[in-house]
Amino acid sequence: MTDICAQNESNCLPIDQNMRGGPTFADRIRRQLEAEIASGRIEPGSRLDEQEIAQQFGVSRTPVREAFRMLAASDLVELRGRQGAMVRSIGGHALVEMFQVMAELEGLCARLAARRIKPQQMARIDAIHKRLEEACDPNGIDAFYDINQEFHEAVYEASCNAFLADQTRKLRNQVASYRRRVTRMPTRLPATLSEHSAVIEAIRAHDAERAHSAMRDHVNLLGDDLLDFLAAYG
Amino acid sequence: MTDICAQNESNCLPIDQNMRGGPTFADRIRRQLEAEIASGRIEPGSRLDEQEIAQQFGVSRTPVREAFRMLAASDLVELRGRQGAMVRSIGGHALVEMFQVMAELEGLCARLAARRIKPQQMARIDAIHKRLEEACDPNGIDAFYDINQEFHEAVYEASCNAFLADQTRKLRNQVASYRRRVTRMPTRLPATLSEHSAVIEAIRAHDAERAHSAMRDHVNLLGDDLLDFLAAYG
DNA sequence: ACACGTCATTATGTATACATATGAGCGCAC
DNA sequence: GTGCGCTCATATGTATACATAATGACGTGT
């Protein structure tokens, strides 16, 4: 079998070199497709062709099919009988529902973090926030997006609940491609900064209730902006 | 190909006749295994043999493997490299984490239900509760368990958030086999009834906060009992 | 007697072959 | 000209074949 990167000449699915996730092709393909979907490089509604992807990865259809099944169980793609797989397209109504749940889960993360955070984790969050302030530049949107993600990830960890962190991460990943669009709204950057500040100060004060509501509001405000964005640009 | 039920002579995986879920074998096998795992007929830690299951269902390994991948993505089974699949075994620590999340999600269901419930749904919940009271008999534990499930399902629906309902259902399903054991504790039945009553009255009064905390407490108390049970009989 | 290395068996991961359903394109009838 | 039905191509679902890594047994050496 040729190396998995061999077939990769200017395809729309460039193989990530750091692909040492699972040793099996199915796992690697799943991870790669997850990343492509989350980043928006594969747009919602796109059809995923087994043979095409198999050729791009230089493998047979079998591991691709298994990757599809895993992604379908994570609700990242939809399998429609014999009509193939397509990247799940999330409508406005479903987004509202998902943000409501995400707000509650992220709120719980913040609440637990307020009760359990260790000085080292607090320092890390402060450092991330400082970097986020410096990256508050409409030109470097992608950097801002990544650092923002780091902030939330740090709160997940501070919650000291690995399962909660995992669930929240999965949900965040499901709406990632939609979130990424709304980051481009000019008002979102400064709003994010001040909302994060509120969360951080509540956590620092070990005020669980305030941390919960601050984080919930933060997520809900993002959801509102996202809906505005979708209403305007479709 | 022989009918999917043909090979089923006194196996440990009796085929459910109402198996018209997905038209594909992979889907049917996934649903069947889900049910077997949730009911506890396949115990946590059991190893799932591809060939054995394929023979029991009268199909080849391919759809079985695809079912395994879906179940693994739902965290119901673990795939350990080339060492096969085993039903996920959840330790006490992980159970605590999961119940903390489930309490929050069920609490959110109850909160939304308190705000949104329609008279018809309220009547349905009352009817279910009445049946649950009648089933409060240590001999008919399984019936009690099923009606209890109906109650929670009715609250999910009353929340009018399909995504939330789905997430909560999945989580409930993950710990189903552990929940089922604790139902056998003698104090759990009357406790469940009174805790449900508190939730119901809060929902009837459209008191969102009270509904949330009542449901959260209900789930947390169940979690506590489950931990006691595991500590004693684990 | 115990430990270690080697080998055989077996089950998983992957590739390929085959069956069949879905959708497109075309022709015909009204 | 439009709508219906047929045929065919293609892609998915399933089965089978093959390669390889992991498990267990056996034998040998200390």
Tab-separated table of all heavy atoms in Angstrom, chain B residues 186-226:
chain	number	residue	atom	x	y	z
B	186	PRO	N	-34.687	-0.760	47.555
B	186	PRO	CA	-36.061	-0.623	48.061
B	186	PRO	C	-36.463	0.834	48.306
B	186	PRO	O	-37.618	1.198	48.107
B	186	PRO	CB	-36.046	-1.420	49.364
B	186	PRO	CG	-34.607	-1.592	49.716
B	186	PRO	CD	-33.839	-1.546	48.452
B	187	THR	N	-35.529	1.674	48.710
B	187	THR	CA	-35.902	3.062	49.006
B	187	THR	C	-36.089	3.897	47.757
B	187	THR	O	-36.636	4.998	47.826
B	187	THR	CB	-34.806	3.723	49.861
B	187	THR	OG1	-33.571	3.671	49.141
B	187	THR	CG2	-34.641	3.003	51.191
B	188	ARG	N	-35.629	3.403	46.619
B	188	ARG	CA	-35.630	4.224	45.412
B	188	ARG	C	-37.052	4.458	44.889
B	188	ARG	O	-37.383	5.532	44.398
B	188	ARG	CB	-34.798	3.535	44.320
B	188	ARG	CG	-33.532	4.208	43.860
B	188	ARG	CD	-33.688	5.574	43.294
B	188	ARG	NE	-33.334	6.650	44.181
B	188	ARG	CZ	-33.762	7.890	43.985
B	188	ARG	NH1	-34.491	8.197	42.953
B	188	ARG	NH2	-33.457	8.835	44.835
B	189	LEU	N	-37.913	3.439	45.001
B	189	LEU	CA	-39.235	3.573	44.397
B	189	LEU	C	-40.046	4.700	45.024
B	189	LEU	O	-40.472	5.617	44.297
B	189	LEU	CB	-39.986	2.236	44.458
B	189	LEU	CG	-39.748	1.296	43.279
B	189	LEU	CD1	-38.289	0.892	43.164
B	189	LEU	CD2	-40.633	0.067	43.386
B	190	PRO	N	-40.251	4.687	46.330
B	190	PRO	CA	-41.014	5.805	46.904
B	190	PRO	C	-40.292	7.142	46.738
B	190	PRO	O	-40.940	8.170	46.511
B	190	PRO	CB	-41.161	5.421	48.381
B	190	PRO	CG	-40.171	4.345	48.620
B	190	PRO	CD	-39.944	3.656	47.323
B	191	ALA	N	-38.978	7.130	46.833
B	191	ALA	CA	-38.236	8.379	46.651
B	191	ALA	C	-38.491	8.956	45.267
B	191	ALA	O	-38.731	10.158	45.099
B	191	ALA	CB	-36.740	8.127	46.858
B	192	THR	N	-38.460	8.081	44.269
B	192	THR	CA	-38.705	8.535	42.903
B	192	THR	C	-40.081	9.189	42.804
B	192	THR	O	-40.230	10.260	42.200
B	192	THR	CB	-38.624	7.338	41.938
B	192	THR	OG1	-37.301	6.824	41.946
B	192	THR	CG2	-39.007	7.748	40.529
B	193	LEU	N	-41.069	8.558	43.429
B	193	LEU	CA	-42.425	9.104	43.328
B	193	LEU	C	-42.497	10.508	43.899
B	193	LEU	O	-43.045	11.420	43.263
B	193	LEU	CB	-43.403	8.189	44.063
B	193	LEU	CG	-43.799	6.928	43.318
B	193	LEU	CD1	-44.744	6.092	44.173
B	193	LEU	CD2	-44.453	7.269	41.989
B	194	SER	N	-41.932	10.719	45.076
B	194	SER	CA	-42.065	12.039	45.686
B	194	SER	C	-41.226	13.066	44.942
B	194	SER	O	-41.636	14.221	44.783
B	194	SER	CB	-41.669	11.972	47.169
B	194	SER	OG	-40.278	11.872	47.302
B	195	GLU	N	-40.081	12.645	44.439
B	195	GLU	CA	-39.259	13.593	43.684
B	195	GLU	C	-39.963	13.991	42.387
B	195	GLU	O	-39.952	15.161	41.998
B	195	GLU	CB	-37.888	12.983	43.399
B	195	GLU	CG	-37.008	12.871	44.650
B	195	GLU	CD	-35.921	11.814	44.521
B	195	GLU	OE1	-35.546	11.480	43.375
B	195	GLU	OE2	-35.465	11.308	45.552
B	196	HIS	N	-40.574	13.011	41.741
B	196	HIS	CA	-41.336	13.335	40.530
B	196	HIS	C	-42.457	14.317	40.855
B	196	HIS	O	-42.725	15.245	40.089
B	196	HIS	CB	-41.917	12.066	39.916
B	196	HIS	CG	-40.932	11.278	39.120
B	196	HIS	ND1	-41.303	10.330	38.188
B	196	HIS	CD2	-39.582	11.295	39.107
B	196	HIS	CE1	-40.225	9.800	37.655
B	196	HIS	NE2	-39.173	10.364	38.193
B	197	SER	N	-43.120	14.086	41.973
B	197	SER	CA	-44.223	14.979	42.349
B	197	SER	C	-43.736	16.419	42.443
B	197	SER	O	-44.396	17.343	41.954
B	197	SER	CB	-44.807	14.557	43.699
B	197	SER	OG	-45.560	13.374	43.554
B	198	ALA	N	-42.578	16.601	43.065
B	198	ALA	CA	-42.042	17.959	43.190
B	198	ALA	C	-41.823	18.579	41.823
B	198	ALA	O	-42.155	19.749	41.588
B	198	ALA	CB	-40.733	17.923	43.982
B	199	VAL	N	-41.259	17.774	40.897
B	199	VAL	CA	-41.020	18.290	39.549
B	199	VAL	C	-42.352	18.653	38.894
B	199	VAL	O	-42.506	19.729	38.302
B	199	VAL	CB	-40.276	17.240	38.703
B	199	VAL	CG1	-40.175	17.690	37.261
B	199	VAL	CG2	-38.890	16.972	39.285
B	200	ILE	N	-43.314	17.747	39.014
B	200	ILE	CA	-44.589	17.950	38.336
B	200	ILE	C	-45.278	19.213	38.834
B	200	ILE	O	-45.767	20.027	38.036
B	200	ILE	CB	-45.497	16.718	38.537
B	200	ILE	CG1	-44.928	15.527	37.775
B	200	ILE	CG2	-46.929	17.017	38.090
B	200	ILE	CD1	-45.629	14.220	38.077
B	201	GLU	N	-45.269	19.400	40.148
B	201	GLU	CA	-45.971	20.574	40.673
B	201	GLU	C	-45.270	21.863	40.250
B	201	GLU	O	-45.927	22.874	39.968
B	201	GLU	CB	-46.088	20.482	42.195
B	201	GLU	CG	-47.031	19.370	42.636
B	201	GLU	CD	-48.287	19.281	41.766
B	201	GLU	OE1	-48.906	20.333	41.504
B	201	GLU	OE2	-48.629	18.164	41.316
B	202	ALA	N	-43.950	21.820	40.207
B	202	ALA	CA	-43.223	23.015	39.753
B	202	ALA	C	-43.553	23.322	38.297
B	202	ALA	O	-43.756	24.482	37.922
B	202	ALA	CB	-41.725	22.810	39.927
B	203	ILE	N	-43.622	22.272	37.480
B	203	ILE	CA	-43.951	22.493	36.073
B	203	ILE	C	-45.373	23.024	35.958
B	203	ILE	O	-45.645	23.972	35.215
B	203	ILE	CB	-43.785	21.185	35.262
B	203	ILE	CG1	-42.304	20.800	35.171
B	203	ILE	CG2	-44.388	21.334	33.872
B	203	ILE	CD1	-42.051	19.495	34.440
B	204	ARG	N	-46.287	22.427	36.737
B	204	ARG	CA	-47.683	22.867	36.674
B	204	ARG	C	-47.795	24.347	37.051
B	204	ARG	O	-48.592	25.082	36.463
B	204	ARG	CB	-48.555	22.027	37.606
B	204	ARG	CG	-50.053	22.197	37.337
B	204	ARG	CD	-50.925	21.602	38.431
B	204	ARG	NE	-50.486	20.279	38.858
B	204	ARG	CZ	-50.695	19.163	38.171
B	204	ARG	NH1	-51.333	19.216	37.028
B	204	ARG	NH2	-50.269	17.998	38.622
B	205	ALA	N	-46.971	24.769	38.009
B	205	ALA	CA	-47.002	26.168	38.455
B	205	ALA	C	-46.201	27.081	37.521
B	205	ALA	O	-46.084	28.274	37.782
B	205	ALA	CB	-46.460	26.277	39.871
B	206	HIS	N	-45.630	26.507	36.466
B	206	HIS	CA	-44.785	27.274	35.542
B	206	HIS	C	-43.657	27.975	36.277
B	206	HIS	O	-43.247	29.076	35.907
B	206	HIS	CB	-45.628	28.299	34.766
B	206	HIS	CG	-46.699	27.677	33.942
B	206	HIS	ND1	-46.440	26.929	32.808
B	206	HIS	CD2	-48.038	27.661	34.093
B	206	HIS	CE1	-47.570	26.496	32.294
B	206	HIS	NE2	-48.566	26.918	33.056
B	207	ASP	N	-43.164	27.317	37.300
B	207	ASP	CA	-42.042	27.859	38.073
B	207	ASP	C	-40.754	27.229	37.531
B	207	ASP	O	-40.344	26.146	37.952
B	207	ASP	CB	-42.237	27.536	39.555
B	207	ASP	CG	-41.167	28.200	40.415
B	207	ASP	OD1	-40.076	28.510	39.890
B	207	ASP	OD2	-41.440	28.405	41.617
B	208	ALA	N	-40.105	27.939	36.618
B	208	ALA	CA	-38.970	27.358	35.902
B	208	ALA	C	-37.822	27.023	36.849
B	208	ALA	O	-37.228	25.943	36.764
B	208	ALA	CB	-38.501	28.314	34.804
B	209	GLU	N	-37.499	27.942	37.739
B	209	GLU	CA	-36.367	27.710	38.638
B	209	GLU	C	-36.599	26.486	39.510
B	209	GLU	O	-35.720	25.652	39.701
B	209	GLU	CB	-36.149	28.936	39.527
B	209	GLU	CG	-35.519	30.110	38.798
B	209	GLU	CD	-34.250	29.708	38.069
B	209	GLU	OE1	-33.408	29.002	38.657
B	209	GLU	OE2	-34.106	30.088	36.888
B	210	ARG	N	-37.786	26.393	40.063
B	210	ARG	CA	-38.091	25.287	40.954
B	210	ARG	C	-38.103	23.963	40.186
B	210	ARG	O	-37.608	22.945	40.674
B	210	ARG	CB	-39.440	25.528	41.641
B	210	ARG	CG	-39.723	24.595	42.804
B	210	ARG	CD	-40.640	25.248	43.851
B	210	ARG	NE	-41.887	25.728	43.269
B	210	ARG	CZ	-43.007	24.999	43.192
B	210	ARG	NH1	-43.023	23.773	43.678
B	210	ARG	NH2	-44.095	25.506	42.667
B	211	ALA	N	-38.649	23.993	38.981
B	211	ALA	CA	-38.649	22.777	38.170
B	211	ALA	C	-37.216	22.330	37.897
B	211	ALA	O	-36.882	21.139	37.997
B	211	ALA	CB	-39.383	23.020	36.858
B	212	HIS	N	-36.374	23.299	37.562
B	212	HIS	CA	-34.974	22.978	37.282
B	212	HIS	C	-34.321	22.321	38.490
B	212	HIS	O	-33.731	21.242	38.381
B	212	HIS	CB	-34.234	24.269	36.912
B	212	HIS	CG	-32.788	24.078	36.590
B	212	HIS	ND1	-32.315	24.110	35.300
B	212	HIS	CD2	-31.712	23.841	37.370
B	212	HIS	CE1	-31.012	23.901	35.306
B	212	HIS	NE2	-30.620	23.738	36.557
B	213	SER	N	-34.445	22.963	39.639
B	213	SER	CA	-33.725	22.428	40.807
B	213	SER	C	-34.343	21.109	41.264
B	213	SER	O	-33.629	20.208	41.707
B	213	SER	CB	-33.700	23.452	41.935
B	213	SER	OG	-35.017	23.800	42.302
B	214	ALA	N	-35.652	20.981	41.147
B	214	ALA	CA	-36.287	19.730	41.563
B	214	ALA	C	-35.797	18.570	40.705
B	214	ALA	O	-35.478	17.487	41.215
B	214	ALA	CB	-37.812	19.859	41.474
B	215	MET	N	-35.733	18.802	39.392
B	215	MET	CA	-35.280	17.733	38.516
B	215	MET	C	-33.798	17.449	38.728
B	215	MET	O	-33.372	16.286	38.738
B	215	MET	CB	-35.537	18.112	37.050
B	215	MET	CG	-35.158	17.046	36.061
B	215	MET	SD	-36.110	15.512	36.237
B	215	MET	CE	-37.403	15.801	35.010
B	216	ARG	N	-33.029	18.505	38.923
B	216	ARG	CA	-31.602	18.301	39.142
B	216	ARG	C	-31.378	17.498	40.415
B	216	ARG	O	-30.582	16.557	40.451
B	216	ARG	CB	-30.890	19.651	39.237
B	216	ARG	CG	-29.388	19.523	39.280
B	216	ARG	CD	-28.732	20.871	39.211
B	216	ARG	NE	-29.220	21.786	40.237
B	216	ARG	CZ	-28.848	23.059	40.325
B	216	ARG	NH1	-28.014	23.572	39.444
B	216	ARG	NH2	-29.326	23.815	41.285
B	217	ASP	N	-32.108	17.842	41.444
B	217	ASP	CA	-31.982	17.094	42.693
B	217	ASP	C	-32.378	15.640	42.493
B	217	ASP	O	-31.730	14.729	43.012
B	217	ASP	CB	-32.867	17.726	43.772
B	217	ASP	CG	-32.362	19.108	44.167
B	217	ASP	OD1	-31.229	19.447	43.783
B	217	ASP	OD2	-33.112	19.841	44.838
B	218	HIS	N	-33.440	15.439	41.757
B	218	HIS	CA	-33.912	14.076	41.503
B	218	HIS	C	-32.808	13.245	40.860
B	218	HIS	O	-32.517	12.127	41.304
B	218	HIS	CB	-35.145	14.132	40.593
B	218	HIS	CG	-35.593	12.809	40.081
B	218	HIS	ND1	-35.749	11.704	40.896
B	218	HIS	CD2	-35.919	12.410	38.834
B	218	HIS	CE1	-36.149	10.680	40.158
B	218	HIS	NE2	-36.250	11.081	38.902
B	219	VAL	N	-32.194	13.780	39.831
B	219	VAL	CA	-31.140	13.040	39.140
B	219	VAL	C	-29.940	12.849	40.057
B	219	VAL	O	-29.323	11.776	40.091
B	219	VAL	CB	-30.745	13.755	37.841
B	219	VAL	CG1	-29.574	13.041	37.170
B	219	VAL	CG2	-31.932	13.826	36.894
B	220	ASN	N	-29.599	13.888	40.799
B	220	ASN	CA	-28.438	13.758	41.687
B	220	ASN	C	-28.674	12.727	42.783
B	220	ASN	O	-27.764	11.978	43.140
B	220	ASN	CB	-28.111	15.117	42.311
B	220	ASN	CG	-27.307	15.990	41.368
B	220	ASN	OD1	-26.510	15.481	40.572
B	220	ASN	ND2	-27.522	17.290	41.436
B	221	LEU	N	-29.894	12.683	43.297
B	221	LEU	CA	-30.192	11.688	44.330
B	221	LEU	C	-30.073	10.285	43.760
B	221	LEU	O	-29.551	9.373	44.409
B	221	LEU	CB	-31.593	11.925	44.899
B	221	LEU	CG	-31.696	13.143	45.816
B	221	LEU	CD1	-33.151	13.445	46.144
B	221	LEU	CD2	-30.902	12.912	47.097
B	222	LEU	N	-30.555	10.126	42.543
B	222	LEU	CA	-30.407	8.824	41.901
B	222	LEU	C	-28.931	8.477	41.761
B	222	LEU	O	-28.514	7.340	42.030
B	222	LEU	CB	-31.073	8.844	40.518
B	222	LEU	CG	-30.898	7.550	39.731
B	222	LEU	CD1	-31.650	6.429	40.400
B	222	LEU	CD2	-31.351	7.730	38.288
B	223	GLY	N	-28.136	9.457	41.340
B	223	GLY	CA	-26.708	9.227	41.210
B	223	GLY	C	-26.080	8.825	42.532
B	223	GLY	O	-25.246	7.913	42.587
B	224	ASP	N	-26.490	9.500	43.598
B	224	ASP	CA	-25.952	9.152	44.911
B	224	ASP	C	-26.290	7.712	45.262
B	224	ASP	O	-25.429	6.948	45.715
B	224	ASP	CB	-26.520	10.100	45.978
B	224	ASP	CG	-25.990	11.517	45.800
B	224	ASP	OD1	-25.006	11.692	45.054
B	224	ASP	OD2	-26.578	12.431	46.408
B	225	ASP	N	-27.546	7.354	45.056
B	225	ASP	CA	-27.955	5.982	45.351
B	225	ASP	C	-27.167	4.989	44.513
B	225	ASP	O	-26.769	3.920	44.986
B	225	ASP	CB	-29.459	5.810	45.081
B	225	ASP	CG	-30.288	6.310	46.257
B	225	ASP	OD1	-29.693	6.731	47.263
B	225	ASP	OD2	-31.530	6.287	46.165
B	226	LEU	N	-26.942	5.352	43.256
B	226	LEU	CA	-26.198	4.453	42.381
B	226	LEU	C	-24.788	4.243	42.917
B	226	LEU	O	-24.273	3.117	42.945
B	226	LEU	CB	-26.166	5.037	40.966
B	226	LEU	CG	-25.334	4.269	39.944
B	226	LEU	CD1	-25.742	2.809	39.927
B	226	LEU	CD2	-25.502	4.876	38.562
